[in-house]
Amino acid sequence: MALHMIVPDHTQPLASGYHAVAPGDLACVVTALEMRAPPEGLRRLVPEPEVPLQLVRWKAAAPAKYRMLYARVGSPWIWWSRLAKGDEELTAIIHDPQVQVFAVADRAGVEVGMLELDFRVAGECEIAFFGLVKGATGKGLGKWLMRRALQLAWASGVERVWVHTCTLDGPQALPFYMGQGFVPFARYVEIFPDPRLAGVLPEDSAPQQPVLRPVPVA
């Protein structure tokens, strides 16, 4: 049964509980999740189902190569933060010895996903980026990729692994992370300029999120 919702009139003051988002901006609800111990059996040496994918470590990827894969995987979900960085700033991150970047490649060597682990905070690992291109999703491959991610993330000395997702991601992202053993610990609202209007992403990226243009000032 659908609930009746009164849509606020943008020309009138908003009712309690509503928060205006300026045209040209995007808003999302971010949920942060963590693990304080590795899942049971994570490091157990048991045969796993064969999957047509492999992780390929990119130890010193060129910024252009990194951006290309990042955009392929993330543009449908408005991944933009790394695309807005210049070469020097981006290289400092992805070439840091405490940051591990992996391409997910199929048997033909075509990159169909990415994984990035950030160990720059002592005792922690952030799964900074995790994703597959749309054609590779819905086949159970995400569980394989998360198992590999956790095997790498729970390195010696790591006491906490965490990740975040938001309402711009696919609707399955949050339940997926919770199903893999992550526990939500924080939620917040993020508002930022729409990267499609700034040319950081093509304007036809993520058509499920409409572009609201600012009204020109006369």
Side-chain angles (χ1 to χ4, degrees):
M1 177 178 171
L3 297 176
H4 179 62
M5 183 180 74
I6 299 175
V7 178
D9 182 345
H10 73 279
T11 65
Q12 301 297 321
L14 296 178
S16 176
Y18 288 95
H19 301 273
V21 177
D25 285 353
L26 282 173
C28 62
V29 178
V30 180
T31 302
L33 309 95
E34 66 180 0
M35 283 184 183
R36 293 285 181 172
E40 185 178 352
L42 179 65
R43 298 190 179 96
R44 191 178 303 153
L45 297 177
V46 296
E48 295 188 27
E50 184 178 356
V51 297
L53 301 177
Q54 59 178 327
L55 283 182
V56 180
R57 176 81 182 272
W58 283 3
K59 289 188 176 181
K65 180 179 180 180
Y66 175 94
R67 289 191 191 99
M68 187 177 299
L69 180 58
Y70 179 96
R72 266 192 78 210
V73 175
S75 60
W77 316 112
I78 313 188
W79 290 13
W80 66 277
S81 60
R82 292 293 173 78
L83 301 178
K85 297 183 184 301
D87 284 359
E88 184 176 351
E89 184 180 6
L90 179 60
T91 299
I93 296 171
I94 63 176
H95 290 190
D96 190 300
Q98 297 302 310
V99 174
Q100 298 180 8
V101 178
F102 298 87
V104 182
D106 65 15
R107 286 172 175 161
V110 177
E111 289 95 11
V112 296
M114 72 177 299
L115 169 67
E116 186 172 322
L117 304 176
D118 189 337
F119 295 90
R120 288 178 293 176
V121 175
E124 296 188 1
C125 176
E126 178 189 2
I127 300 179
F129 296 101
F130 175 101
L132 297 166
V133 299
K134 280 193 169 183
T137 59
K139 303 175 182 179
L141 301 176
K143 291 183 178 180
W144 168 83
L145 181 56
M146 179 54 74
R147 183 171 178 85
R148 295 292 292 116
L150 291 174
Q151 287 169 338
L152 293 164
W154 283 107
S156 176
V158 171
E159 299 177 350
R160 176 178 180 260
V161 175
W162 73 283
V163 66
H164 75 270
T165 185
C166 76
T167 49
L168 296 177
D169 286 334
Q172 73 282 1
L174 182 55
F176 172 79
Y177 289 133
M178 294 173 66
Q180 300 306 300
F182 285 93
V183 177
F185 70 91
R187 181 182 294 121
Y188 54 92
V189 174
E190 181 181 8
I191 300 175
F192 55 91
D194 192 327
R196 297 168 296 184
L197 292 176
V200 176
L201 285 171
E203 194 164 318
D204 59 357
S205 300
Q208 73 278 7
Q209 302 291 341
V211 175
L212 299 180
R213 296 180 177 277
V215 177
V217 178

